[in-house]
Amino acid sequence: MTNPESTAPGIRLRPEIAALPPYRQGRPAPAEGYKLSSNENPFDPLPGVAEAVAATATAINRYPDATALALREKLGERFGVSADEVLIGDGSVALLAQFILAAAAPGDEVVYSWRSFEAYPGLVTVAGATSVQIPNRPDHGHDLDAMADAITDRTRVVMVCSPNNPTGVTVTAEEFEAFMARVPSDLLVLLDEAYIEFVRHPASVDGRTLIGRYPNLVVLRTFSKAYGLAGLRVGYAIGPVAILDAARATAIPLGVTAAGGAAGIASLEPEAERELLARVDVLVERRARLRDGLIDLGWPIPEAQGNFVWLPAGAETTAVAERLFDAGVVVRAFPPEGIRVSIGEEASVEILLGILGELVPRSQEGHPK
């Protein structure tokens, strides 16, 4: 039988898109193993949230309110802004794509730290713009001075990720304010705070304190991590109405589901949120215990303020990740730089410490034995 692909005429695609690798999810864990590759919340959904989601099933023949007005009003009350200053998207990554599309075109540049969220390069390429990647500092944090130095007349967007995914290092409030003082007021700045609820460093930037202070700043957050709604894709942005309206114009219509909106509202109910944030406290304690244990073993683990830790495994990144996989632990490897390990079930902590104790780096440069 003839393979249709072998006889089909060549389709003219954008070469940069044809060459772009698709976003890669963390691979599934082995049976009885632990999936620590996707920064998921390991706790089951709250019953009240699950009930709110189930209730939307009776109307799945109808389109939802894709603006998620009820959720925007709820978030507006929380952040002291109007509902029009809140934008809901199917995950904060979708919102990032909308803002980049709204501001950057072919010939334009988008500045961000690297390594950072692995979706950034693809989002910029899809918009037709050019990535300007600024290397992280030796401590694996953003070099905001170098990022400011990289801004040119072609720059249209700057992305700041705090805490940085995958390295876990935050930007301080002082650093961010000094950075914003150097950024032109007509240049869009996206502060990506997908992991803000896990931050415990008192000097870290908090977008909530910046709302209304800068006409070019948009703060992005998500319900995927701390609130455990990764499977429903609910993210939100807060910023000036004119910027949000531009992002609304680039959105795929009807992307936000009724289930996602209902789950977001249910998660913000006082009793539910108290329980969800108590779970975050558990993960933060677990994170600290894992990081401290790895440091005691000799691993040079940087600051960890997300729901993950960063292993600077260098050239041995793939080998270390495969050793963990063989032991039933799936992690996210970024060869040749390092490995991101999500904070998951309690039982995974001792397994990680046991295996990684056999792979202690030779030096503080992070090259394992």
Side-chain angles (χ1 to χ4, degrees):
M1 188 174 192
T2 303
N3 181 355
E5 292 184 0
S6 66
T7 58
I11 303 300
R12 288 176 289 184
L13 301 173
R14 287 170 54 190
E16 69 273 23
I17 299 299
L20 181 68
Y23 180 84
R24 180 175 58 87
Q25 282 186 281
R27 59 180 172 176
E32 307 303 321
Y34 298 96
K35 184 186 177 189
L36 306 180
S37 57
S38 298
N39 291 348
E40 295 160 327
N41 192 314
F43 293 99
D44 292 336
L46 293 179
V49 174
E51 290 167 8
V53 172
T56 66
T58 60
I60 58 174
N61 58 309
R62 302 293 185 185
Y63 287 117
D65 170 15
T67 73
L69 176 59
L71 180 54
R72 286 192 292 122
E73 290 176 336
K74 194 97 171 173
L75 288 168
E77 292 174 7
R78 165 161 303 199
F79 288 91
V81 299
S82 69
D84 289 339
E85 293 170 278
V86 182
L87 176 61
I88 308 296
D90 46 337
S92 57
V93 66
L95 293 172
L96 287 167
Q98 291 172 226
F99 286 110
I100 294 170
L101 284 169
D108 295 333
E109 295 178 346
V110 178
V111 174
Y112 53 91
S113 192
W114 195 253
R115 175 170 288 278
S116 193
F117 182 29
E118 66 264 37
Y120 288 166
L123 297 179
V124 175
T125 299
V126 169
T130 300
S131 287
V132 177
Q133 298 179 344
I134 307 303
N136 289 332
R137 298 178 313 221
D139 69 350
H140 305 282
H142 282 33
D143 188 340
L144 289 182
D145 284 335
M147 290 174 67
D149 290 341
I151 294 171
T152 69
D153 290 341
R154 296 176 60 189
T155 309
R156 294 294 178 270
V157 182
V158 179
M159 293 187 285
V160 176
C161 186
S162 181
N164 186 45
N165 173 20
T167 64
V169 182
T170 58
V171 171
T172 69
E174 183 178 359
E175 289 171 338
F176 190 78
E177 292 192 19
F179 172 73
M180 290 300 291
R182 295 187 59 190
V183 173
S185 61
D186 60 353
L187 175 60
L188 177 59
V189 178
L190 303 176
L191 178 57
D192 184 353
E193 294 188 315
Y195 301 91
I196 186 67
E197 292 87 358
F198 298 93
V199 172
R200 295 297 181 270
H201 196 301
S204 298
V205 68
D206 183 345
R208 187 169 184 168
T209 68
L210 304 173
I211 294 169
R213 291 181 53 188
Y214 301 100
N216 57 331
L217 176 66
V218 173
V219 176
L220 298 102
R221 295 186 174 186
T222 185
F223 285 92
S224 294
K225 313 302 181 186
Y227 291 82
L229 301 185
L232 289 175
R233 314 303 301 123
V234 188
Y236 61 97
I238 300 171
V241 174
I243 301 176
L244 299 195
D245 281 346
R248 288 184 179 101
T250 69
I252 296 174
L254 304 170
V256 179
T257 66
I265 292 171
S267 297
L268 293 175
E269 291 299 320
E271 184 176 349
E273 189 169 35
R274 277 193 297 272
E275 185 168 351
L276 290 167
L277 295 182
R279 294 175 169 188
V280 169
D281 288 338
V282 171
L283 295 175
V284 166
E285 186 278 332
R286 201 171 289 170
R287 175 190 73 195
R289 193 154 27 92
L290 176 61
R291 179 175 183 265
D292 290 346
L294 290 170
I295 290 174
D296 288 344
L297 291 171
W299 279 90
I301 306 298
E303 174 190 357
Q305 294 293 321
N307 64 338
F308 51 88
V309 297
W310 175 249
L311 307 177
E316 297 301 315
T317 290
T318 299
V320 173
E322 288 302 320
R323 174 70 181 85
L324 289 167
F325 183 79
D326 291 342
V329 179
V330 181
V331 294
R332 193 61 168 265
F334 298 98
E337 296 154 282
I339 297 168
R340 188 190 68 196
V341 182
S342 305
I343 305 304
E345 292 80 0
E346 171 63 29
S348 68
V349 174
E350 288 304 315
I351 295 173
L352 285 165
L353 291 174
I355 298 169
L356 292 171
E358 304 169 3
L359 303 167
V360 179
R362 289 192 296 264
S363 72
Q364 292 302 298
E365 294 176 356
H367 298 290
K369 291 179 180 177

PDB file of all heavy atoms in Angstrom, residues 14 50 67 88 107 111 135 139 186-187 203 219 221 234 241 266 272 307:
ATOM      1  N   ARG A  14       6.354  27.702   6.919  1.00  0.00           N
ATOM      2  CA  ARG A  14       7.375  28.622   7.405  1.00  0.00           C
ATOM      3  C   ARG A  14       8.581  27.807   7.870  1.00  0.00           C
ATOM      4  O   ARG A  14       8.447  26.932   8.729  1.00  0.00           O
ATOM      5  CB  ARG A  14       6.834  29.449   8.567  1.00  0.00           C
ATOM      6  CG  ARG A  14       5.835  30.517   8.170  1.00  0.00           C
ATOM      7  CD  ARG A  14       5.167  31.140   9.385  1.00  0.00           C
ATOM      8  NE  ARG A  14       6.136  31.664  10.351  1.00  0.00           N
ATOM      9  CZ  ARG A  14       5.798  32.073  11.573  1.00  0.00           C
ATOM     10  NH1 ARG A  14       4.526  31.991  11.983  1.00  0.00           N
ATOM     11  NH2 ARG A  14       6.708  32.554  12.393  1.00  0.00           N
ATOM     12  N   ALA A  50     -13.952  19.587  42.630  1.00  0.00           N
ATOM     13  CA  ALA A  50     -14.387  18.541  41.707  1.00  0.00           C
ATOM     14  C   ALA A  50     -15.896  18.612  41.471  1.00  0.00           C
ATOM     15  O   ALA A  50     -16.377  18.406  40.349  1.00  0.00           O
ATOM     16  CB  ALA A  50     -14.005  17.167  42.253  1.00  0.00           C
ATOM     17  N   THR A  67     -14.985  34.770  28.420  1.00  0.00           N
ATOM     18  CA  THR A  67     -14.295  35.855  29.118  1.00  0.00           C
ATOM     19  C   THR A  67     -14.154  35.550  30.607  1.00  0.00           C
ATOM     20  O   THR A  67     -13.440  36.248  31.310  1.00  0.00           O
ATOM     21  CB  THR A  67     -15.043  37.187  28.970  1.00  0.00           C
ATOM     22  OG1 THR A  67     -16.239  37.169  29.774  1.00  0.00           O
ATOM     23  CG2 THR A  67     -15.388  37.473  27.516  1.00  0.00           C
ATOM     24  N   ILE A  88      -8.369  36.215  31.560  1.00  0.00           N
ATOM     25  CA  ILE A  88      -8.280  34.781  31.824  1.00  0.00           C
ATOM     26  C   ILE A  88      -7.897  34.066  30.543  1.00  0.00           C
ATOM     27  O   ILE A  88      -8.404  34.392  29.462  1.00  0.00           O
ATOM     28  CB  ILE A  88      -9.617  34.220  32.341  1.00  0.00           C
ATOM     29  CG1 ILE A  88     -10.141  35.037  33.525  1.00  0.00           C
ATOM     30  CG2 ILE A  88      -9.470  32.749  32.726  1.00  0.00           C
ATOM     31  CD1 ILE A  88      -9.274  35.003  34.748  1.00  0.00           C
ATOM     32  N   GLY A 107      10.954  40.864  12.626  1.00  0.00           N
ATOM     33  CA  GLY A 107      11.902  41.972  12.742  1.00  0.00           C
ATOM     34  C   GLY A 107      12.026  42.519  14.147  1.00  0.00           C
ATOM     35  O   GLY A 107      12.980  43.239  14.447  1.00  0.00           O
ATOM     36  N   VAL A 111      13.212  39.894  24.660  1.00  0.00           N
ATOM     37  CA  VAL A 111      14.344  39.652  25.557  1.00  0.00           C
ATOM     38  C   VAL A 111      13.886  38.829  26.753  1.00  0.00           C
ATOM     39  O   VAL A 111      12.844  39.132  27.360  1.00  0.00           O
ATOM     40  CB  VAL A 111      14.954  40.989  26.036  1.00  0.00           C
ATOM     41  CG1 VAL A 111      16.046  40.742  27.079  1.00  0.00           C
ATOM     42  CG2 VAL A 111      15.514  41.779  24.849  1.00  0.00           C
ATOM     43  N   PRO A 135      22.171  35.148  29.228  1.00  0.00           N
ATOM     44  CA  PRO A 135      22.558  34.054  30.123  1.00  0.00           C
ATOM     45  C   PRO A 135      22.260  34.375  31.591  1.00  0.00           C
ATOM     46  O   PRO A 135      22.414  35.508  32.049  1.00  0.00           O
ATOM     47  CB  PRO A 135      24.069  33.922  29.889  1.00  0.00           C
ATOM     48  CG  PRO A 135      24.292  34.479  28.524  1.00  0.00           C
ATOM     49  CD  PRO A 135      23.289  35.595  28.378  1.00  0.00           C
ATOM     50  N   ASP A 139      24.622  32.239  39.799  1.00  0.00           N
ATOM     51  CA  ASP A 139      23.720  31.666  40.801  1.00  0.00           C
ATOM     52  C   ASP A 139      22.418  31.181  40.194  1.00  0.00           C
ATOM     53  O   ASP A 139      21.488  30.809  40.909  1.00  0.00           O
ATOM     54  CB  ASP A 139      23.447  32.680  41.919  1.00  0.00           C
ATOM     55  CG  ASP A 139      22.595  33.868  41.450  1.00  0.00           C
ATOM     56  OD1 ASP A 139      22.367  34.011  40.223  1.00  0.00           O
ATOM     57  OD2 ASP A 139      22.160  34.657  42.312  1.00  0.00           O
ATOM     58  N   ASP A 186       7.244  52.529  27.075  1.00  0.00           N
ATOM     59  CA  ASP A 186       6.392  51.990  26.014  1.00  0.00           C
ATOM     60  C   ASP A 186       6.782  50.560  25.638  1.00  0.00           C
ATOM     61  O   ASP A 186       6.302  50.028  24.635  1.00  0.00           O
ATOM     62  CB  ASP A 186       6.438  52.883  24.770  1.00  0.00           C
ATOM     63  CG  ASP A 186       7.842  53.010  24.179  1.00  0.00           C
ATOM     64  OD1 ASP A 186       8.803  52.518  24.795  1.00  0.00           O
ATOM     65  OD2 ASP A 186       7.968  53.606  23.090  1.00  0.00           O
ATOM     66  N   LEU A 187       7.641  49.934  26.441  1.00  0.00           N
ATOM     67  CA  LEU A 187       8.065  48.563  26.182  1.00  0.00           C
ATOM     68  C   LEU A 187       7.329  47.619  27.122  1.00  0.00           C
ATOM     69  O   LEU A 187       7.384  47.775  28.349  1.00  0.00           O
ATOM     70  CB  LEU A 187       9.576  48.433  26.390  1.00  0.00           C
ATOM     71  CG  LEU A 187      10.173  47.025  26.265  1.00  0.00           C
ATOM     72  CD1 LEU A 187       9.928  46.447  24.883  1.00  0.00           C
ATOM     73  CD2 LEU A 187      11.660  47.044  26.579  1.00  0.00           C
ATOM     74  N   ALA A 203      12.602  38.938  50.319  1.00  0.00           N
ATOM     75  CA  ALA A 203      13.051  40.022  49.432  1.00  0.00           C
ATOM     76  C   ALA A 203      12.545  39.865  48.006  1.00  0.00           C
ATOM     77  O   ALA A 203      12.757  40.753  47.172  1.00  0.00           O
ATOM     78  CB  ALA A 203      14.578  40.098  49.428  1.00  0.00           C
ATOM     79  N   VAL A 219       1.239  41.387  34.942  1.00  0.00           N
ATOM     80  CA  VAL A 219       1.587  40.307  35.863  1.00  0.00           C
ATOM     81  C   VAL A 219       0.776  39.073  35.487  1.00  0.00           C
ATOM     82  O   VAL A 219      -0.445  39.157  35.319  1.00  0.00           O
ATOM     83  CB  VAL A 219       1.302  40.717  37.318  1.00  0.00           C
ATOM     84  CG1 VAL A 219       1.585  39.549  38.268  1.00  0.00           C
ATOM     85  CG2 VAL A 219       2.120  41.947  37.698  1.00  0.00           C
ATOM     86  N   ARG A 221      -0.202  34.997  36.366  1.00  0.00           N
ATOM     87  CA  ARG A 221      -0.216  33.924  37.360  1.00  0.00           C
ATOM     88  C   ARG A 221      -1.093  32.783  36.852  1.00  0.00           C
ATOM     89  O   ARG A 221      -1.717  32.897  35.795  1.00  0.00           O
ATOM     90  CB  ARG A 221      -0.721  34.453  38.708  1.00  0.00           C
ATOM     91  CG  ARG A 221       0.225  35.491  39.326  1.00  0.00           C
ATOM     92  CD  ARG A 221      -0.190  35.916  40.711  1.00  0.00           C
ATOM     93  NE  ARG A 221       0.804  36.798  41.330  1.00  0.00           N
ATOM     94  CZ  ARG A 221       0.754  37.231  42.561  1.00  0.00           C
ATOM     95  NH1 ARG A 221      -0.271  36.876  43.354  1.00  0.00           N
ATOM     96  NH2 ARG A 221       1.706  38.019  43.051  1.00  0.00           N
ATOM     97  N   VAL A 234      -6.090  27.052  33.525  1.00  0.00           N
ATOM     98  CA  VAL A 234      -6.655  28.345  33.926  1.00  0.00           C
ATOM     99  C   VAL A 234      -5.518  29.249  34.402  1.00  0.00           C
ATOM    100  O   VAL A 234      -4.936  29.021  35.468  1.00  0.00           O
ATOM    101  CB  VAL A 234      -7.692  28.200  35.063  1.00  0.00           C
ATOM    102  CG1 VAL A 234      -8.384  29.543  35.299  1.00  0.00           C
ATOM    103  CG2 VAL A 234      -8.714  27.128  34.736  1.00  0.00           C
ATOM    104  N   VAL A 241      -5.853  48.047  30.862  1.00  0.00           N
ATOM    105  CA  VAL A 241      -6.914  47.559  29.979  1.00  0.00           C
ATOM    106  C   VAL A 241      -6.484  47.555  28.526  1.00  0.00           C
ATOM    107  O   VAL A 241      -6.758  46.601  27.777  1.00  0.00           O
ATOM    108  CB  VAL A 241      -8.194  48.412  30.163  1.00  0.00           C
ATOM    109  CG1 VAL A 241      -9.257  48.007  29.141  1.00  0.00           C
ATOM    110  CG2 VAL A 241      -8.742  48.251  31.578  1.00  0.00           C
ATOM    111  N   ALA A 266     -14.271  28.119  42.582  1.00  0.00           N
ATOM    112  CA  ALA A 266     -14.373  27.232  43.748  1.00  0.00           C
ATOM    113  C   ALA A 266     -13.074  27.218  44.545  1.00  0.00           C
ATOM    114  O   ALA A 266     -13.086  27.129  45.780  1.00  0.00           O
ATOM    115  CB  ALA A 266     -14.735  25.818  43.292  1.00  0.00           C
ATOM    116  N   ALA A 272     -11.774  26.512  50.884  1.00  0.00           N
ATOM    117  CA  ALA A 272     -11.000  25.751  49.910  1.00  0.00           C
ATOM    118  C   ALA A 272      -9.590  26.316  49.782  1.00  0.00           C
ATOM    119  O   ALA A 272      -8.604  25.564  49.766  1.00  0.00           O
ATOM    120  CB  ALA A 272     -11.703  25.769  48.553  1.00  0.00           C
ATOM    121  N   ASN A 307       8.017  24.983  43.066  1.00  0.00           N
ATOM    122  CA  ASN A 307       7.718  23.642  43.580  1.00  0.00           C
ATOM    123  C   ASN A 307       8.642  22.626  42.900  1.00  0.00           C
ATOM    124  O   ASN A 307       8.225  21.559  42.448  1.00  0.00           O
ATOM    125  CB  ASN A 307       6.244  23.274  43.386  1.00  0.00           C
ATOM    126  CG  ASN A 307       5.844  23.176  41.929  1.00  0.00           C
ATOM    127  OD1 ASN A 307       6.492  23.744  41.049  1.00  0.00           O
ATOM    128  ND2 ASN A 307       4.750  22.469  41.652  1.00  0.00           N
TER     129      ASN A 307
END
